[in-house]
Amino acid sequence: MKKLVYILLIWTGVSSCRKDFDLPSYQYRLDTPAHFPEMELPEDNPITPAKIKLGKLLFEDVRLSKNESVSCASCHFSQNAFSDTVAFSVGLYGQNTLRNSPPLFNLGYHPYYFKDGGAPTLEIQVIAPIHNEIEMDMNILEVCDILNTDGDYTRLSQEVFNTEVTPFVVSRSIATYLRTLVSANSRYDRFIEGDESALTSIEKEGLSIFEGKANCVACHSGFDFTNYSFQNNGIHLSYGDLGRRLITGLPEDDAKFKVASLRNLSFTGPYMFDGSLVSLEEVIEHYNSGGMNHTNQSDDVYPLNLTENEKQALLAFLLSLNDDNFVSK
Amino acid sequence: MKNKYIIIAITGLAISVSSCRKGCTDPAAENYDARAKKSDNSCEYVEPADTTSSVNLVITHLSGSQTFAMNTDYVDGFGNDYQFTRAQMYLSSPKYMDENMNLISAPMEYALVSPSQTTYAFGTVPGDAHIHMMDIAVGVDSVANASDPGTYGADSPLAYQSPSVHWNWNSGYIFIAIEGVVDIDGNGTYDAGETFLCHVGLNSMLAVNSGLLAHFNSVPGQTHNIELDIDWSGLLTGIDLSVDNSTHTMDNMPLATTVSNNAANVITIHQ
């Protein structure tokens, strides 16, 4: 009886004096290793399991395209770290995209999106391919009208956002799903976490070249092997793509593209903004040559004079950045 | 002994109930209850008197001095026949001045204007002002231009639209979207592929129509119609559509710049 009274006292005190505020819905916690920074999430788009589910559904739904033939997943294959296997993906009506399809991982850390940085947030970026005439050629309002006739979508949308399907629902859901695509479990990651045996001796030698003689870290730095800057790497002497200049209009940004991550390279070829290099050996050879000397070529691209053994070691190290668990998701 | 605990429990309950009284907890409300610990949604407020005057834009759509119509023949300055099939522009950033050219405070407003509509709600001005002159911009300001259309309610001109007025390769809005057909070869027909398209939008291309003599006295609680003319063909002044007929802004900056410069002169007070 005594116990019951005290419980009753505590319960009445707590329940009747609770402040009026909305409790946050259950939030999903991204499982990232200690050597990754904490991912900052937009205030209006916390991650929840139901939203991830809705985002994945949308990502794989061909009804986002005009003739229901193309979904986001059509150019972003999970087994290829969500990239494509060809230089230019095939969009609507057999049209080719203008740039190589990027892999999709660790996107929540990017400060901007597209190879030219044209989209400032993931929420804005995910709508663009839907509107793009080559990729999906739909209007997001038409997409919402269609999805609102589908009970599965309307139920999930109500559950997550308490509304019918709207552009806000679509953009927040796909962006949320993409943020959960975290690749952080390569052998290099295990090495960084203290497992000395995770890398072989030739891979460690390659790491030394990567950070030293080849100075790849000038641009491919940090936990995701990119500093997200815009660079011209001298892959061509003249370009049919304005790159960053398309956004800024500045001649000094001509043919500059966002530095790509070097994770999962075994799965993400062909390489470069236009998929013009098919193998990693070609990529290493390009950087070893010092580039084509484009007007805006980065000062960090210069002849490296790597020996064959050094190239082999560098390649070995790059392959240690593969995350087999990620591509098998 | 048992009675002792029952008394404690009842006392506790009484304290709890009395100390957690429900009522209006907002000090700004008329019926604020200082003893209330929990809101019961009963707060009542006095409606503040409306001290502002609403503004509508009432637009006459023109091509030169003629009434504008889609799919109707017009002639550009170089003798090329053309027709509009799409015409949209954002109007924003109203600035109102009194007789002494002092700025009269007014909120930022946006309207997505097309020839199918004449009247647009365009915010408010103080209810006791004499508006002598106004400026109005074609386009949207840099803050709105960087915003996410998905965050706006469906009724907002800044929300996603159909057809889209938001770039699909960049963030930002298309300030001006005009499209149509043009008789490039001069054979009297609009053949396949004889089209023009001008999509203009970049922060630097905000085009301000300055010094419009609006001349009105605002009255609190009332709506004032500002009557404007928009000359859609004026956007193409100085452009030979047979040779220069396509821009998405960055892929043909000179043409986009010409359209933007023209946009600063296409809006006038209705005569």
Side-chain angles (χ1 to χ4, degrees):
Chain A
M1 184 62 186
K2 184 177 176 181
K3 199 173 180 183
L4 174 68
V5 168
Y6 285 130
I7 290 172
L8 190 63
L9 276 172
I10 291 167
W11 180 82
T12 52
V14 169
S15 67
S16 60
C17 291
R18 189 185 295 152
K19 284 189 174 179
D20 289 335
F21 59 86
D22 293 326
L23 289 169
S25 59
Y26 169 68
Q27 292 187 13
Y28 183 87
R29 188 170 178 81
L30 288 170
D31 184 20
T32 53
H35 64 284
F36 268 45
E38 191 172 338
M39 189 184 293
E40 289 182 21
L41 301 177
E43 282 185 11
D44 69 353
N45 200 17
I47 298 177
T48 67
K51 201 189 293 181
I52 298 168
K53 180 181 176 182
L54 180 53
K56 188 172 189 296
L57 269 179
L58 289 161
F59 186 84
E60 296 171 350
D61 197 327
V62 293
R63 286 175 294 179
L64 270 61
S65 68
K66 195 75 163 182
N67 63 357
E68 301 189 359
S69 67
V70 177
S71 72
C72 305
S74 300
C75 304
H76 298 281
F77 306 123
S78 61
Q79 66 271 27
N80 294 100
F82 295 91
S83 68
D84 205 342
T85 57
V86 293
F88 301 107
S89 300
V90 179
L92 214 58
Y93 314 123
Q95 301 176 92
N96 285 117
T97 56
L98 302 177
R99 291 177 183 157
N100 184 242
S101 175
L104 308 178
F105 53 78
N106 304 338
L107 294 175
Y109 298 104
H110 287 222
Y112 27 68
Y113 300 87
F114 290 136
K115 288 181 167 68
D116 54 26
T121 69
L122 201 46
E123 281 72 11
I124 289 178
Q125 186 278 324
V126 297
I127 301 298
I130 298 172
H131 284 172
N132 187 292
E133 295 85 351
I134 292 174
E135 297 179 52
M136 293 176 165
D137 196 25
M138 275 288 270
N139 185 286
I140 185 61
L141 301 180
E142 291 175 63
V143 169
C144 292
D145 287 344
I146 291 169
L147 299 183
N148 276 318
T149 64
D150 184 326
D152 288 340
Y153 275 112
T154 54
R155 270 192 300 279
L156 260 176
S157 184
Q158 285 291 344
E159 178 188 334
V160 179
F161 295 95
N162 199 28
T163 177
E164 63 176 6
V165 180
T166 65
F168 186 88
V169 169
V170 174
S171 61
R172 269 59 192 169
S173 299
I174 298 179
T176 291
Y177 169 58
L178 294 179
R179 284 195 180 94
T180 67
L181 301 179
V182 173
S183 178
N185 197 21
S186 67
R187 287 191 292 108
Y188 169 80
D189 291 302
R190 295 200 284 282
F191 175 75
I192 284 295
E193 288 168 346
D195 180 0
E196 283 285 328
S197 66
L199 294 186
T200 64
S201 60
I202 190 172
E203 289 165 349
K204 289 175 185 171
E205 184 189 339
L207 171 57
S208 177
I209 294 164
F210 184 85
E211 294 176 334
K213 184 175 180 181
N215 194 28
C216 307
V217 290
C219 296
H220 296 283
S221 56
F223 71 98
D224 205 23
F225 294 88
T226 169
N227 60 8
Y228 307 110
S229 65
F230 299 100
Q231 302 291 339
N232 177 288
N233 67 359
I235 190 70
H236 303 300
L237 199 51
S238 64
Y239 291 67
D241 189 326
L242 292 172
R244 179 67 177 161
R245 186 179 181 180
L246 187 65
I247 305 304
T248 66
L250 300 172
E252 57 265 38
D253 285 335
D254 191 28
K256 287 185 178 177
F257 299 90
K258 187 167 72 171
V259 173
S261 171
L262 299 182
R263 291 179 175 274
N264 297 310
L265 289 174
S266 284
F267 318 112
T268 60
Y271 309 98
M272 306 294 149
F273 76 96
D274 57 357
S276 55
L277 297 185
V278 173
S279 69
L280 288 173
E281 286 81 359
E282 287 178 87
V283 173
I284 291 173
E285 201 51 60
H286 159 68
Y287 284 108
N288 192 45
S289 74
M292 303 283 283
N293 289 321
H294 181 272
T295 312
N296 289 333
Q297 183 172 312
S298 166
D299 291 340
D300 291 314
V301 178
Y302 49 79
L304 299 175
N305 300 313
L306 297 176
T307 66
E308 285 307 312
N309 283 344
E310 287 170 333
K311 290 181 205 172
Q312 288 301 317
L314 186 56
L315 176 61
F317 168 68
L318 292 175
L319 295 179
S320 78
L321 303 179
N322 290 335
D323 180 351
D324 296 322
N325 290 332
F326 179 71
V327 296
S328 64
K329 274 182 183 174
Chain B
M1 195 58 156
K2 191 183 268 185
N3 286 344
K4 180 183 161 193
Y5 289 122
I6 291 172
I7 291 166
I8 292 171
I10 292 170
T11 306
L13 273 169
I15 292 167
S16 171
V17 169
S18 64
S19 65
C20 295
R21 177 187 174 108
K22 288 186 176 181
C24 174
T25 56
D26 182 358
E30 285 293 295
N31 60 334
Y32 170 59
D33 183 349
R35 292 172 299 169
K37 294 285 187 290
K38 185 171 183 178
S39 172
D40 61 357
N41 298 317
S42 65
C43 293
E44 295 170 0
Y45 301 89
V46 175
E47 286 286 319
D50 186 0
T51 60
T52 64
S53 173
S54 298
V55 170
N56 283 342
L57 300 181
V58 180
I59 295 172
T60 300
H61 299 280
L62 300 172
S63 172
S65 57
Q66 306 170 47
T67 299
F68 179 89
M70 293 287 193
N71 305 304
T72 297
D73 284 338
Y74 299 114
V75 183
D76 72 11
F78 297 82
N80 304 300
D81 289 337
Y82 70 97
Q83 297 180 351
F84 285 94
T85 57
R86 181 184 179 188
Q88 289 176 291
M89 68 168 66
Y90 273 104
L91 299 183
S92 73
S93 314
K95 281 186 181 173
Y96 302 98
M97 279 75 71
D98 65 16
E99 295 282 2
N100 298 315
M101 299 305 287
N102 296 314
L103 199 61
I104 296 169
S105 165
M108 177 63 77
E109 292 297 331
Y110 305 92
L112 178 57
V113 174
S114 63
S116 61
Q117 187 176 335
T118 56
T119 303
Y120 299 84
F122 207 59
T124 60
V125 292
D128 55 356
H130 173 70
I131 309 294
H132 171 62
M133 193 177 280
M134 70 176 290
D135 297 345
I136 191 167
V138 176
V140 302
D141 58 288
S142 59
V143 174
N145 204 29
S147 65
D148 181 349
T151 59
Y152 295 102
D155 293 336
S156 169
L158 295 176
Y160 282 112
Q161 307 286 329
S162 183
S164 178
V165 281
H166 199 257
W167 299 114
N168 61 29
W169 51 271
N170 188 0
S171 64
Y173 291 85
I174 300 171
F175 296 176
I176 303 165
I178 50 174
E179 299 173 22
V181 291
V182 54
D183 183 14
I184 291 173
D185 59 13
N187 68 353
T189 59
Y190 299 111
D191 302 317
E194 291 190 321
T195 58
F196 72 91
L197 179 150
C198 299
H199 289 184
V200 177
L202 200 64
N203 285 340
S204 62
M205 293 195 172
L206 191 74
V208 179
N209 288 255
S210 304
L212 304 176
L213 294 171
H215 267 315
F216 67 94
N217 293 312
S218 58
V219 179
Q222 293 191 9
T223 299
H224 182 81
N225 291 335
I226 300 177
E227 297 188 28
L228 300 175
D229 290 344
I230 295 180
D231 175 13
W232 289 94
S233 292
L235 292 169
L236 299 171
T237 299
I239 297 167
D240 182 348
L241 285 177
S242 68
V243 293
D244 199 7
N245 45 43
S246 179
T247 180
H248 296 84
T249 301
M250 297 305 288
D251 61 355
N252 187 349
M253 283 288 277
L255 179 57
T257 302
T258 302
V259 174
S260 172
N261 289 340
N262 289 337
N265 298 298
V266 297
I267 299 175
T268 52
I269 294 293
H270 180 61
Q271 300 301 314

